[in-house]
């Protein structure tokens, strides 16, 4: 690929990746509209359904990669809706443990189903080698990002 073409692709790569991620999440939002969930509320429910319970609130903050006060407010909303409950962490009095209620577990299954359905639709026609190549590129980008920023090498790896 000529240098000019590569430079053009490099300049648009991040924007395109961000646009695709946002569009992907909007597709999940559309599939979950009947449940009254938005990205802000379905992502914590999804992660709580994927992580072994109970989940420390600080671990949820790391998994979601959003600020702790924002996660606290989201959990307030989810708690009022009867989807989660918080309890003190006996091992660390400063921490809270978050668990899904029975209703929350049901919704988490619906969220996971919606995420899987969107993934299936959007990845239709993409071969396994193509998907593996894409993952390889993502892993190298993440490695470059964390090498330069000194950020934690822990990447959620979950749906966004």
């Amino acid at each position: 690929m000529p240098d000019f073409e590569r430079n053009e692709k490099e300049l648009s790569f991040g924007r395109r990746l961000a646009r695709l991620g946002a569009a992907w999440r909007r597709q999940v939002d559309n599939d979950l509209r009947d449940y009254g969930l938005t990205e802000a509320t379905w992502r914590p429910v999804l992660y709580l359904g994927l992580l072994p319970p109970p989940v420390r609130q600080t671990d949820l903050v790391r998994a979601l990669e959003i600020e702790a006060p924002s996660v606290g407010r989201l959990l307030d909303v989810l708690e009022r809706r009867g989807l989660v409950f918080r309890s003190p962490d006996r091992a660390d009095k400063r921490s809270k443990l978050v668990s899904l209620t029975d209703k929350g577990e049901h919704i988490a299954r619906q969220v996971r189903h919606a995420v899987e359905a969107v993934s299936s639709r959007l990845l239709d026609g993409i071969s396994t080698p193509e998907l593996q190549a894409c993952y390889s590129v993502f892993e190298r980008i993440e490695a470059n990002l964390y090498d330069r920023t000194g950020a934690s090498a822990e990447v959620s790896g979950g749906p966004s």
Side-chain angles (χ1 to χ4, degrees):
M1 174 184 316
D3 286 346
F4 175 76
E5 188 178 337
R6 180 175 172 89
N7 287 343
E8 288 295 312
K9 294 211 181 294
E10 283 181 7
L11 286 172
S12 66
F13 188 87
R15 286 191 316 271
R16 191 167 192 183
L17 185 61
R19 191 175 70 241
L20 285 170
W24 194 297
R25 289 185 301 274
R26 277 194 304 276
Q27 290 287 310
V28 176
D29 282 352
N30 287 338
D31 284 14
L32 293 170
R33 184 170 286 141
D34 291 343
Y35 295 97
L37 298 172
T38 63
E39 179 186 350
T41 52
W42 66 254
R43 285 188 68 229
V45 170
L46 175 66
Y47 280 90
L48 287 167
L50 295 173
L51 297 168
V55 177
R56 272 201 178 106
Q57 192 165 322
T58 53
D59 292 337
L60 186 60
V61 165
R62 276 192 293 279
L64 293 170
E65 296 180 335
I66 58 179
E67 297 294 321
S70 297
V71 171
R73 288 188 297 274
L74 286 171
L75 291 174
D76 290 342
V77 169
L78 294 171
E79 205 164 31
R80 283 192 299 272
R81 292 178 65 182
L83 301 179
V84 302
F85 65 93
R86 288 179 274 192
S87 57
D89 183 347
R90 293 177 192 210
D92 181 354
K93 299 293 184 209
R94 299 166 297 166
S95 292
K96 294 278 188 190
L97 298 175
V98 184
S99 300
L100 292 168
T101 62
D102 289 343
K103 180 180 175 183
E105 287 178 11
H106 172 74
I107 295 296
R109 285 190 295 276
Q110 300 305 315
V111 170
R112 186 171 179 146
H113 176 73
V115 168
E116 289 170 353
V118 167
S119 295
S120 180
R121 284 195 313 263
L122 298 182
L123 296 174
D124 185 43
I126 297 172
S127 70
T128 299
E130 288 171 318
L131 190 58
Q132 288 172 333
C134 187
Y135 256 82
S136 177
V137 169
F138 287 164
E139 287 169 356
R140 286 187 284 172
I141 292 169
E142 287 172 346
N144 289 342
L145 174 69
Y146 295 120
D147 286 348
R148 285 183 176 81
T149 64
S152 167
E154 181 182 322
V155 175
S156 65
S160 5

